[in-house]
């Protein structure tokens, strides 16, 4: 049976196609499958829009007349906001790195000499990679501060639209929770028409059979309200969990892409192949490889490299001063892009915020006032969460 399914039948189909179409049908289906799985197309985005709109079409006629004026106001706002933020996240520029934006993005962040090193060129875009950028294989372009490619918005999540994406998650999470709670009230009200003593929490003295019969009646009294309420209550924890994960990434001053890179570094450290040493503050910069000035208030104070066999690099290898020190834990490595939760939020929600000028205007010590080296890095914990999720 196994041989028939995986060998004989496919071979027969290929032979028939070769005879009838010279192999064009199977090759076309293969290209279509590759496009569906790995191409940029709006299929999931359309499905998400249909899920929202059809669910609201089934839900609102049965619930809206029962709502107070206050609930109608908040309900209307909660319905509109996901569409607004979905449009802004999907239609907005995620931070595409092209010749027009390259110089600006090069001056946003310094290279941390751990995840991002100067002098690396994208082999597809043929541009010097700005710090925190990544080439998206789906969109076929480099994106600044790349987090991930999201099929629900048919776009990358990056520096230019990360705030809209977080607000989309927040508004969708609030909509599903709010709609689920209001729907439960409608279900309970319908059940009370059969027994005024019904409550969503099973009343004492009631049998499970009596309770479930009335609950089922409440759900079936208006199938649209009942089914959408159940769907909202089941999906709400997923959306809230995704929102909490992205808030934690902001708290840690990292992204999904960078968390995966930190995870790779932990594997190198487990093998004893990661080393670090100090970078002098007055090190010379090659203007052909990195920006001479950035808006970020701190610069890299260390370099992290790996070796194949676990032996320390030569003293002359790479930039930096002093002896190479073996690193075993990510908590011993500074995350340059973590300025603290508040400043990390500002970086997400206030594009192009001039951190360095703000610190200089306040006469702050840039190295001591913003650097978080004394605290354990939060990026490793984000990568641990990612490893647990995958």
């Amino acid at each position: 049976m196994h041989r028939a399914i995986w060998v004989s039948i496919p071979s027969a189909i290929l032979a028939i196609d070769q005879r009838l179409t010279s192999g064009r049908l199977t090759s076309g289906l293969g290209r279509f499958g590759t496009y569906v799985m790995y191409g940029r197309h709006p299929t999931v985005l359309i499905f998400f829009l249909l899920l929202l709109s059809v669910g609201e079409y089934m839900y609102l006629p049965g619930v809206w007349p029962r709502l107070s004026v206050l609930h109608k106001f908040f309900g209307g706002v909660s319905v509109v906001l996901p569409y607004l933020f979905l449009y802004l996240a999907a239609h907005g520029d995620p931070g595409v790195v092209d010749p027009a934006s390259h110089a600006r993005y090069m001056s946003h962040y310094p290279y941390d000499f751990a995840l991002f090193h100067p002098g690396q060129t994208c082999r597809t875009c043929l541009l010097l990679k700005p710090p925190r950028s990544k080439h998206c294989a789906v969109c076929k372009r480099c994106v600044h501060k790349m987090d991930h490619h999201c099929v629900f918005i048919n776009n990358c999540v990056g520096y230019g639209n990360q705030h809209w994406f977080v607000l989309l998650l927040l508004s969708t999470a609030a909509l599903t929770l709010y709609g689920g709670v209001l729907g439960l009230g409608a279900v309970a009200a319908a059940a009370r028409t059969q027994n005024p003593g019904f409550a969503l929490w099973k009343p004492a003295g009631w049998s499970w059979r009596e309770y479930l019969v009335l609950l089922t009646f409440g759900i079936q009294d208006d199938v649209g309200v009942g089914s959408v309420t159940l769907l909202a209550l089941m999906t709400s924890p997923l959306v809230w969990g995704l929102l909490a994960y992205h808030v934690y990434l902001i708290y840690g001053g990292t992204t999904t892409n960078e968390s995966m890179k930190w995870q790779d570094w932990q594997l190198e450290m487990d093998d004893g192949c990661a080393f670090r040493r100090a970078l002098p503050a007055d090190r010379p910069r090659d203007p052909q490889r990195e920006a001479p000035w950035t808006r970020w208030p701190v610069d890299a104070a260390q370099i992290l490299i790996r070796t194949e066999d676990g032996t320390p690099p030569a003293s002359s290898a790479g930039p930096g001063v002093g002896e190479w020190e073996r690193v075993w834990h990510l908590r011993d490595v500074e995350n340059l892009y973590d300025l603290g939760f508040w400043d990390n939020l500002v970086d997400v929600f206030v594009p192009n915020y001039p951190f360095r000028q703000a610190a200089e205007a306040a006469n702050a010590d840039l190295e001591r006032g913003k650097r978080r080296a004394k605290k354990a890095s939060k990026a490793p914990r984000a990568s641990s969460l990612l490893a647990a999720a995958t």
Side-chain angles (χ1 to χ4, degrees):
M1 179 64 70
H2 181 273
R3 181 175 179 80
I5 293 175
W6 296 105
V7 179
S8 301
I9 295 177
S11 298
I13 294 174
L14 289 174
I16 294 173
D17 178 50
Q18 188 67 34
R19 179 180 294 273
L20 297 178
T21 69
S22 300
R24 288 191 294 271
L25 179 60
T26 52
S27 62
L29 290 174
R31 288 193 299 270
F32 177 75
T34 301
Y35 171 74
V36 169
M37 294 298 297
Y38 306 106
R40 187 186 182 194
H41 53 84
T43 305
V44 181
L45 172 60
I46 294 172
F47 171 75
F48 182 42
L49 281 170
L50 288 175
L51 197 63
L52 284 175
S53 57
V54 173
E56 290 159 1
Y57 176 79
M58 295 171 60
Y59 177 90
L60 289 176
V63 171
W64 191 262
R66 312 178 191 180
L67 299 180
S68 65
V69 175
L70 186 63
H71 277 304
K72 286 182 177 179
F73 172 76
F74 285 110
V77 172
S78 65
V79 166
V80 170
L81 286 182
Y83 292 101
L84 174 63
F85 294 136
L86 176 62
Y87 171 79
L88 293 171
H91 187 263
D93 177 13
V96 177
V97 180
D98 55 25
S101 63
H102 184 262
R104 173 163 53 91
Y105 288 147
M106 285 290 291
S107 64
H108 269 190
Y109 303 101
Y111 290 100
D112 65 349
F113 287 84
L115 305 183
F116 306 99
H117 293 262
Q120 296 181 346
T121 302
C122 176
R123 290 174 294 181
T124 304
C125 301
L126 303 179
L127 290 172
L128 196 66
K129 287 186 176 181
R132 310 190 79 179
S133 67
K134 182 182 184 297
H135 186 85
C136 177
V138 178
C139 294
K140 308 294 190 296
R141 56 192 184 181
C142 282
V143 176
H144 184 49
K145 197 187 176 186
M146 171 75 162
D147 188 276
H148 70 290
H149 181 89
C150 179
V151 295
F152 284 94
I153 66 173
N154 192 33
N155 200 0
C156 290
V157 176
Y159 183 83
N161 66 346
Q162 184 184 11
H163 52 300
W164 299 128
F165 179 75
V166 172
L167 291 173
L168 170 63
L169 292 178
L170 177 61
S171 60
T172 306
L175 174 65
T176 54
L177 180 60
Y178 190 46
V181 171
L182 291 179
L184 283 178
V187 168
R192 289 192 192 99
T193 61
Q194 301 299 307
N195 189 329
F198 177 84
L200 290 173
W201 190 265
K202 186 175 78 69
W206 282 38
S207 67
W208 278 106
R209 180 179 179 279
E210 182 181 10
Y211 171 74
L212 292 176
V213 166
L214 285 174
L215 179 62
T216 303
F217 175 84
I219 294 173
Q220 294 180 343
D221 181 66
D222 189 323
V223 176
V225 174
S227 58
V228 174
T229 297
L230 293 177
L231 179 62
L233 292 175
M234 287 188 294
T235 57
S236 187
L238 302 177
V239 185
W240 281 105
L242 186 58
L243 173 64
Y245 173 69
H246 279 275
V247 170
Y248 187 80
L249 289 178
I250 296 173
Y251 167 74
T254 187
T255 64
T256 301
N257 172 55
E258 291 166 12
S259 291
M260 297 174 67
K261 291 178 179 289
W262 284 120
Q263 188 177 340
D264 293 339
W265 266 117
Q266 183 60 69
L267 296 177
E268 297 289 345
M269 293 175 187
D270 293 340
D271 294 335
C273 297
F275 298 86
R276 71 173 183 178
R277 70 176 177 181
L279 278 175
D282 58 348
R283 66 179 179 85
R285 298 170 184 259
D286 184 355
Q288 301 297 321
R289 295 162 59 89
E290 57 181 318
W293 178 93
T294 68
R295 69 185 179 98
W296 210 239
V298 292
D299 291 313
Q302 62 185 6
I303 178 175
L304 189 66
I305 66 172
R306 60 173 62 89
T307 59
E308 295 294 332
D309 55 2
T311 58
S315 299
S316 59
V321 294
E323 296 298 322
W324 290 101
E325 174 189 359
R326 196 185 305 271
V327 184
W328 294 102
H329 304 286
L330 282 174
R331 63 173 177 266
D332 298 325
V333 179
E334 177 194 32
N335 178 16
L336 182 67
Y337 306 120
D338 178 19
L339 299 181
F341 185 49
W342 176 252
D343 282 334
N344 294 345
L345 275 177
V346 171
D347 185 43
V348 171
F349 287 96
V350 185
N352 305 310
Y353 184 79
F355 287 101
R356 187 178 293 270
Q357 293 95 317
E360 290 172 349
N363 294 320
D365 186 333
L366 296 181
E367 292 301 314
R368 298 182 184 273
K370 290 292 184 182
R371 190 173 293 281
R372 319 294 290 185
K374 295 296 183 182
K375 297 184 179 180
S377 174
K378 291 172 280 189
R381 285 179 284 182
S383 63
S384 300
L385 286 176
L386 182 66
T390 56

